Amino acid sequence: MEMMHIIRYGWLKAICLCCCILLFGYSSFAQPTFKKYSVKNGSEVIELSKAIPEKELDEFIRDFDLSDLDLKNFFKSNKADSLIKRGWKVIANNDILVILTKPMHGFDLLDILTEKIHFDKFPFGGSDNNTAAVRYGVNKLRNKDFRTEDSVVIFFIRNNKQASNVLLAGSFTNWQQNALPMQLTDSGWIAIIKLGAGKYTYKFIVDGRWMTDPDNQLNENDGEGNTNSVYYKTNIRFTLDGFTNAKRVYLAGSFNDWKEKDLLMNKTATGWELPVMLQNGTHTYKFIVDGNWYADANNPHGLPDGNGGFNSMIRLGNSHTFKLDGYTNAKQVILSGSFNGWKEDELFMTKTATGWELPYAIGSGNYEYKFIVDRKWMADPGNAYTGNDGNSYLVIGPNYTFRFSSPNAKKVFLAGDFNGWNPSSLPMKKEGDAWTFSLHLTPGKHRYKFFVDGEWIKDPANKLWEENEYGTGNSVVWIE
């Protein structure tokens, strides 16, 4: 009888515990965490789970540049002052979720755009001003590697052998619209696809169920509440022979802002290696072996490192030849710009019969530069696009032309999030009755205005605009 009493007491205790979990722990067990930033019916919409971990909330705020909303304080205090001040309205706010909305003024074409817009950021090696491309990328895989041969890549998902249908979908297939059927093998499923060097996002669809790659440690949010796996089709394999007794070897270079412990190399039988995706341009680098810096002994190309030594150098893509006519009596001319961190002792130009020149591999983008003639800085006299700040402007691979019609304007400058809203760095060129300037813009959203004879003006020919903190509005352009 005593044993039966103990057993019954145990069952009663278990039942009570389950009831407590159901009654008091429901919110923690039943609430899925979610975060979403989207466009609906002409408004920006933020949907957040109240159970979202602080780290995920920080990432969400950073990814969509929402620091001015003070969302973390709102979550703690429920005071919406900072949100209301910036034009946001609280649609829902309870123990489960919060929904915020803000009208996107002037978006007459929004119904057309919404189907095309993805709120993606491109944070890899770049800044937050939407002009930086993906400068580099390294894969982080578990238990496998992508087999590649030239432009052919074999995607592989292990196991799932009982599935009847497995598809590969990604940025290279327009996602589900052109998802690729995968073939069953003895250990999983494979799909073969041709890809050029670059960054790609993807997922597997297993019997209708979407899933990220379980063997890929690189994931990112697409801005619509979905997490996708990230794959870099690499185009450079950095190798270091020897040093087999070293504990750790890192790669550092201009492409990752010389971060010392960012790119850990893999040990091989004869040394160390690391496959990397690099965008077109000129890149300098070194190896860090147990804290000691070494140039690449197998690479004969280098540039001065500013400390009496050299950084190894690689060039990818086409070169642009910088030229300075005249100054034939100068002893030394150096090129310096945003493309090399404004270094004053790296890019020495070559003297010619009529001046100075330097071929330099540089990828698509917008750049500022100057010449240093016998230690004196000067703008490029042959470049009409030189701003009032004294920097000459170079655009490689322009893909969008801004146009402002005003026959009576004397000076017109272009400014936006792509140049830090500097009203004097991008002088527009007059062509007939219109002023123009062509830029290279990365995919996504860009805000801009014209600075006309000292006055800020929204683009009168563009119906897309949104309010700013000054109540004067900014024009908006989307690049696919």
Side-chain angles (χ1 to χ4, degrees), residues 320-325 333-343 347 349 356 358 360 362 365-372 376-387 389-396 425-426 437:
H320 173 82
T321 300
F322 290 87
K323 291 184 178 181
L324 174 63
D325 293 331
V333 178
I334 298 171
L335 170 67
S336 181
S338 57
F339 39 75
N340 77 325
W342 294 98
K343 291 182 179 179
L347 303 178
M349 301 185 71
W356 301 77
L358 178 69
Y360 187 79
I362 189 167
N366 310 307
Y367 306 96
E368 295 176 88
Y369 70 98
K370 277 184 175 179
F371 298 121
I372 310 174
K376 293 183 179 180
W377 292 73
M378 61 173 288
D380 184 350
N383 189 344
Y385 292 111
T386 297
D389 56 6
N391 294 332
S392 297
Y393 214 82
L394 173 68
V395 179
I396 302 294
S425 68
L426 302 180
F437 199 103

Side-chain angles (χ1 to χ4, degrees), residues 66-243:
L66 301 173
S67 57
D68 61 327
L69 300 189
D70 200 12
L71 286 172
K72 295 177 73 173
N73 184 56
F74 171 67
F75 266 49
K76 295 177 181 178
S77 66
N78 280 326
K79 294 181 179 180
D81 296 359
S82 63
L83 298 169
I84 296 171
K85 184 179 179 181
R86 288 165 177 78
W88 289 85
K89 185 177 181 180
V90 181
I91 299 299
N93 182 21
N94 52 47
D95 293 338
I96 306 297
L97 69 119
V98 59
I99 301 178
L100 311 172
T101 182
K102 176 184 176 183
M104 299 182 78
H105 302 283
F107 272 53
D108 296 342
L109 304 179
L110 191 62
D111 291 339
I112 299 174
L113 288 172
T114 303
E115 296 301 320
K116 301 178 181 179
I117 292 172
H118 290 269
F119 290 87
D120 287 323
K121 286 267 191 167
F122 299 86
F124 297 91
S127 63
D128 290 329
N129 64 5
N130 250 356
T131 62
V134 182
R135 289 192 290 174
Y136 76 99
V138 176
N139 292 308
K140 294 184 179 180
L141 303 168
R142 292 183 292 247
N143 307 319
K144 74 173 184 184
D145 196 0
F146 283 87
R147 288 165 49 199
T148 62
E149 185 175 345
D150 296 328
S151 60
V152 174
V153 180
I154 300 178
F155 283 79
F156 173 66
I157 176 172
R158 65 179 64 252
N159 302 323
N160 295 282
K161 290 185 287 185
Q162 303 304 317
S164 58
N165 184 38
V166 179
L167 303 174
L168 170 66
S171 54
F172 41 79
T173 69
N174 197 17
W175 291 98
Q176 190 170 13
Q177 183 174 342
N178 296 305
L180 300 173
M182 302 187 73
Q183 303 298 317
L184 181 62
T185 69
D186 60 343
S187 56
W189 298 75
I190 65 169
I192 301 174
I193 185 171
K194 284 190 174 183
L195 294 175
K199 173 192 171 186
Y200 302 93
T201 53
Y202 69 98
K203 264 185 174 179
F204 301 116
I205 311 175
V206 181
D207 286 340
R209 179 173 60 92
W210 290 74
M211 60 181 292
T212 56
D213 188 341
D215 292 324
N216 191 341
Q217 300 178 64
L218 282 183
N219 296 309
E220 72 175 26
N221 192 281
D222 68 354
E224 296 182 349
N226 305 306
T227 299
N228 302 318
S229 297
V230 178
Y231 169 66
Y232 291 101
K233 175 66 168 63
T234 59
N235 54 351
I236 294 293
R237 184 178 295 271
F238 290 91
T239 59
L240 174 64
D241 295 335
F243 297 98

Side-chain angles (χ1 to χ4, degrees), residues 21-32 49 51 95-96:
I21 291 174
L22 289 173
L23 289 173
F24 302 108
Y26 175 80
S27 61
S28 62
F29 282 92
Q31 290 185 44
S49 165
D95 293 338
I96 306 297

Side-chain angles (χ1 to χ4, degrees), residues 105 421 447-450 456-459 464-476:
H105 302 283
W421 293 96
R447 306 167 183 88
Y448 70 98
K449 266 187 172 180
F450 300 117
W456 290 96
I457 297 177
K458 293 202 307 288
D459 187 347
L464 278 69
W465 64 278
E466 68 177 27
E467 195 57 274
N468 58 25
E469 60 184 301
Y470 306 106
T472 58
N474 297 320
S475 295
V476 173

Side-chain angles (χ1 to χ4, degrees), residues 209-367:
R209 179 173 60 92
W210 290 74
M211 60 181 292
T212 56
D213 188 341
D215 292 324
N216 191 341
Q217 300 178 64
L218 282 183
N219 296 309
E220 72 175 26
N221 192 281
D222 68 354
E224 296 182 349
N226 305 306
T227 299
N228 302 318
S229 297
V230 178
Y231 169 66
Y232 291 101
K233 175 66 168 63
T234 59
N235 54 351
I236 294 293
R237 184 178 295 271
F238 290 91
T239 59
L240 174 64
D241 295 335
F243 297 98
T244 53
N245 293 325
K247 294 181 180 179
R248 276 183 170 80
V249 177
Y250 291 92
L251 169 69
S254 56
F255 41 84
N256 77 328
D257 298 322
W258 295 97
K259 294 177 182 177
E260 298 184 21
K261 295 186 177 181
D262 185 30
L263 300 175
L264 180 64
M265 300 187 71
N266 305 312
K267 194 171 186 179
T268 67
T270 58
W272 302 80
E273 69 173 18
L274 185 67
V276 180
M277 186 283 294
L278 288 181
Q279 73 167 32
N280 286 344
T282 300
H283 307 278
T284 53
Y285 68 96
K286 276 185 177 178
F287 302 114
I288 309 173
V289 182
D290 291 339
N292 299 309
W293 293 72
Y294 295 90
D296 188 346
N298 293 324
N299 185 353
H301 306 290
L303 291 172
D305 62 6
N307 297 308
F310 285 86
N311 294 320
S312 299
M313 176 190 66
I314 54 175
R315 300 185 183 97
L316 298 174
N318 298 324
S319 293
H320 173 82
T321 300
F322 290 87
K323 291 184 178 181
L324 174 63
D325 293 331
Y327 298 90
T328 53
N329 293 326
K331 296 180 179 179
Q332 184 183 81
V333 178
I334 298 171
L335 170 67
S336 181
S338 57
F339 39 75
N340 77 325
W342 294 98
K343 291 182 179 179
E344 304 177 27
D345 50 9
E346 183 180 66
L347 303 178
F348 293 85
M349 301 185 71
T350 301
K351 193 172 186 179
T352 68
T354 58
W356 301 77
E357 68 177 34
L358 178 69
Y360 187 79
I362 189 167
S364 296
N366 310 307
Y367 306 96

